[in-house]
Amino acid sequence: MTRTGLDGAILALLGGFIVSAGLVGFILSAGGYQLPTLGLPRPAAVGPVGVAVQAPAVAQAPTSAQAAPAAKAAIDAKIVATDLKFTPATLQAKVGQPIRITFENKGVIEHDLTFPTIKADKPASTLTVIAKPGQTVTLEFTPTAKGSYEYICTIPGHKDAGMKGTINVTE
C-alpha cells in the first residue's frame, strides 16, 4: 500500500495559518488594538535591540475612593429671539465654567445667535447657531477670560434693530 503525500500539504496549510494569525496579531497591535487578556498578566515584550521592555499598562476606571474631582457643572441659560429682540439682554458666566445656551426662536423669521469676540475654549467663529421660526437649538462653550462680550444676530439689519445682548464673564 502506498501512502499519498498529504502530510506535507497539511503541514504547509498549518504553517500558513500560524504565520497569517501572527501577522494579523502584529498588524492589530501596531494599530493600537489589544486582544483581551482575560485578567492574565502581560509578558514583557522584547524591544528592537533585544532589550526587554514592559508592555503598556491597561487603564482602569477609578474606584469610588480614587474618583477624580467632579468637573464644574454647566450653567444653563436661555435666550429667546422674537423679531428684532433678544430676551434676556444680559447673561452672567464664569471663567472656566461651561455654559449651555438654549436658543429659542419665537419670531416669524430666521435668526442666529453668535458671540463674535468672546474668549472661549472654541474659536469665536464657531460660536454661532441658527434657528428657523419655532426652532430651538443649543450652543455650548467655556469662557476662558473675564470681560463683557456682545452677542448678536448677524442677519443683515437685525443687530442694528436691537438684536444684541451682553454676556458678563467673571472670575
Side-chain angles (χ1 to χ4, degrees):
M1 189 153 133
T2 61
R3 189 168 191 201
T4 58
L6 290 179
D7 289 344
I10 292 172
L11 186 58
L13 257 163
L14 184 57
F17 174 75
I18 292 170
V19 169
S20 65
L23 286 175
V24 168
F26 175 75
I27 291 169
L28 287 176
S29 65
Y33 297 97
Q34 294 180 353
L35 299 176
T37 60
L38 305 175
L40 300 173
R42 294 176 175 261
V46 176
V49 291
V51 177
V53 293
Q54 181 65 34
V58 176
Q60 296 178 356
T63 63
S64 59
Q66 300 171 321
K72 290 184 180 180
I75 297 171
D76 286 318
K78 183 174 185 176
I79 298 176
V80 176
T82 52
D83 292 322
L84 307 179
K85 181 179 176 186
F86 282 142
T87 305
T90 305
L91 293 178
Q92 302 297 323
K94 293 188 181 267
V95 171
Q97 185 165 22
I99 185 165
R100 181 182 311 114
I101 298 174
T102 302
F103 179 56
E104 182 179 5
N105 184 353
K106 289 189 175 181
V108 295
I109 57 176
E110 182 176 273
H111 294 292
D112 69 12
L113 173 68
T114 188
F115 294 79
T117 61
I118 196 163
K119 308 287 189 263
D121 63 334
K122 300 174 184 173
S125 62
T126 66
L127 299 178
T128 299
V129 288
I130 299 171
K132 295 186 183 310
Q135 187 178 23
T136 299
V137 294
T138 59
L139 177 65
E140 295 182 40
F141 60 91
T142 303
T144 58
K146 69 179 186 171
S148 248
Y149 305 99
E150 188 174 55
Y151 57 89
I152 61 173
C153 179
T154 62
I155 295 175
H158 290 201
K159 175 186 172 186
D160 296 330
M163 291 197 82
K164 56 187 172 183
T166 304
I167 182 169
N168 296 311
V169 180
T170 59
E171 290 288 334

